[in-house]
């Protein structure tokens, strides 16, 4: 069994100042496992579909990895099954990058950078989040433009939607708050059972 650990930086695009995370995951992980780790580290709730796009090398087209389309739509892009595809099959060189899309409606685009291969530390539990900045946007807030509007509203007590937006957010939201030590990771196998309890 591999004792190696992969270090990734996850950056949410089209948001300024940047929202990002640095995570460590086992080399044996599948793309489904990596998806779950990204969701937990970022602060997403995994309510929506996702997709990875990655090139194995500069001479090949990017492949799509995620949840396969069982409906068989003719115009759907062929997709590898995330839980059957090891991350080590594609992330085989430090410096490689991939795209990760979450929520095809709000269209949250992330850049994934493969930063390092490390040896597993004795007594350390993986995955883990070791660094990052700023809070994750709330689910279903309308993508990057909707999030920008949300921030304008909650920072202006005179805005007509201020009270309603704060209520929707549960009373408060600090866009600068993030503590990597507070990140809790789910077991990807349990998340799979929860997502696909009726079977595939």
């Amino acid at each position: 069994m591999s004792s190696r650990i992969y270090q990734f930086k996850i950056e949410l695009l089209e948001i300024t100042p940047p929202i990002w995370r640095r995570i460590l995951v086992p080399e044996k992980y599948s793309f489904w496992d990596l998806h779950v780790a990204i969701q937990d580290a970022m602060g997403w709730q995994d309510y929506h579909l996702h997709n990875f796009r990655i090139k194995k090398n500069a001479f090949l087209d990017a492949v799509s990895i995620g949840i396969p389309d069982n409906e068989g739509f003719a115009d759907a892009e062929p997709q590898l099954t995330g839980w059957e595809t090891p991350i080590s099959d594609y992330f085989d060189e430090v410096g490689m990058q991939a795209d990760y899309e979450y929520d095809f409606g709000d269209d949250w685009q992330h850049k994934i950078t493969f930063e390092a291969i490390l040896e597993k530390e004795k007594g350390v539990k993986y995955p883990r989040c070791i660094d990052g900045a700023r809070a994750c946007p709330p689910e279903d807030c309308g993508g990057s433009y909707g999030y920008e509007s949300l921030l304008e509203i909650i920072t202006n007590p005179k805005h007509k939607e201020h009270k309603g937006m704060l209520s929707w957010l549960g009373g408060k939201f600090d866009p600068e708050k993030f503590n990597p030590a507070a990140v809790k990771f789910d077991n990807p196998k349990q998340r799979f059972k929860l997502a696909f309890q009726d079977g595939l």
Side-chain angles (χ1 to χ4, degrees):
M1 183 172 291
S2 172
S3 62
R4 302 202 305 179
I5 298 298
Y6 282 10
Q7 178 175 304
F8 293 104
K9 184 177 182 181
I10 318 298
E11 300 173 81
L12 182 59
L13 304 180
E14 300 181 351
I15 299 287
T16 304
I19 298 171
W20 62 276
R21 309 287 185 258
R22 180 165 284 117
I23 62 174
L24 305 177
V25 305
E27 180 186 35
K28 66 179 182 180
Y29 259 23
S30 70
F31 275 88
W32 169 265
D33 301 333
L34 179 59
H35 154 72
V36 173
I38 291 171
Q39 287 282 307
D40 293 343
M42 287 297 301
W44 298 121
Q45 301 299 312
D46 207 359
Y47 293 156
H48 304 283
L49 295 173
H50 71 277
N51 184 59
F52 291 92
R53 287 187 62 78
I54 185 171
K55 283 188 172 187
K56 195 166 179 72
N57 62 56
F59 304 102
L60 297 175
D61 291 336
V63 298
S64 180
I65 304 172
I67 299 172
D69 169 28
N70 291 327
E71 299 300 322
F73 292 114
D75 60 348
E77 179 183 31
Q79 190 166 57
L80 299 178
T81 303
W83 48 89
E84 295 177 353
T85 309
I87 61 173
S88 58
D89 281 1
Y90 287 87
F91 289 109
D92 54 9
E93 185 176 339
V94 170
M96 290 183 65
Q97 293 186 331
D99 299 321
Y100 172 77
E101 181 181 2
Y102 171 61
D103 185 349
F104 300 163
D106 279 2
D107 192 30
W108 296 109
Q109 299 287 340
H110 307 69
K111 180 173 72 175
I112 303 172
T113 303
F114 182 28
E115 293 189 317
I117 300 174
L118 309 170
E119 290 298 318
K120 183 177 181 180
E121 294 184 40
K122 188 175 182 180
V124 174
K125 186 177 180 180
Y126 299 94
R128 57 187 299 231
C129 181
I130 59 172
D131 203 359
R134 306 187 74 229
C136 185
E139 293 275 357
D140 302 319
C141 70
S144 57
Y145 294 108
Y147 182 55
E148 183 178 338
S149 176
L150 178 149
L151 294 181
E152 290 177 1
I153 292 169
I154 65 173
T155 54
N156 180 7
K158 295 182 179 180
H159 196 285
K160 63 181 180 179
E161 297 180 33
H162 179 79
K163 187 175 180 180
M165 185 64 76
L166 281 180
S167 177
W168 181 72
L169 290 168
K172 61 180 179 178
F173 178 75
D174 182 355
E176 303 305 321
K177 185 177 181 181
F178 177 69
N179 177 9
V183 173
K184 305 296 182 188
F185 289 96
D186 280 351
N187 183 315
K189 290 183 174 60
Q190 292 178 351
R191 183 78 65 82
F192 182 87
K193 289 179 182 178
L194 182 65
F196 306 106
Q197 53 188 344
D198 295 329
L200 291 170

